[in-house]
Amino acid sequence: MALDILLGRTGESLRGRVLNSVFHIRTPFWRLSVATPEIRRRYFQAPGSPPRDEIYLRNFDKLVGTIEDQTIEFRPATGAELAVPTAAVLVVLFEFVRARNVLSLLAAAKPLSRRRGADASASGLGA
């Protein structure tokens, strides 16, 4: 099962599940509401520094601005639900295990497709 990973500013990490269904970010151009299943990872800037939070989406888009949510509702793999202040969070990785497996599969498939093209060309079947 894929778990989310929450990394704190003081070095702690928790595996579990983010329960928020949506997160909000204000960019210089607009305010967006992003559904949690669309997010791969989120980075938070240090409090007091210029606002530059980042949300990376599953389609590889990147949003930069200020994340407006004050808490992350999180259920650790072992324990009760927590309301974690975003000021205490450095990074959230969503469905980390699944994302890593997908990237491994894509990396493995790329050389295979090159080989198929080379084999087809060598046999006269390629275009």
Side-chain angles (χ1 to χ4, degrees):
M1 179 172 108
L3 294 176
D4 304 323
I5 300 174
L6 190 124
L7 302 172
R9 293 196 180 278
T10 57
E12 66 279 347
S13 65
L14 289 172
R15 290 178 186 265
R17 180 65 58 205
V18 171
L19 303 175
N20 302 62
S21 61
V22 67
F23 288 98
H24 306 91
I25 185 167
R26 181 168 301 283
T27 73
F29 306 107
W30 51 70
R31 179 184 186 269
L32 294 169
S33 298
V34 183
T36 300
E38 300 302 316
I39 302 173
R40 286 188 302 138
R41 63 183 183 262
R42 291 176 42 178
Y43 291 95
F44 297 91
Q45 287 302 96
S49 66
R52 187 175 158 80
D53 300 323
E54 299 174 353
I55 295 178
Y56 291 81
L57 302 177
R58 294 201 181 281
N59 69 1
F60 299 102
D61 284 348
K62 176 182 171 182
L63 305 173
V64 178
T66 303
I67 294 174
E68 296 180 335
D69 305 282
Q70 299 300 309
T71 60
I72 298 172
E73 303 301 321
F74 192 79
R75 179 176 295 127
T78 57
E81 186 176 320
L82 305 170
V84 181
T86 54
V89 177
L90 181 61
V91 179
V92 180
L93 303 169
F94 293 85
E95 297 185 0
F96 183 70
V97 175
R98 184 183 306 161
R100 187 176 59 199
N101 289 343
V102 168
L103 292 176
S104 297
L105 289 172
L106 289 174
K110 197 170 194 176
L112 179 61
S113 64
R114 284 188 198 142
R115 249 190 324 224
R116 283 187 182 157
D119 293 344
S121 297
S123 66
L125 299 174

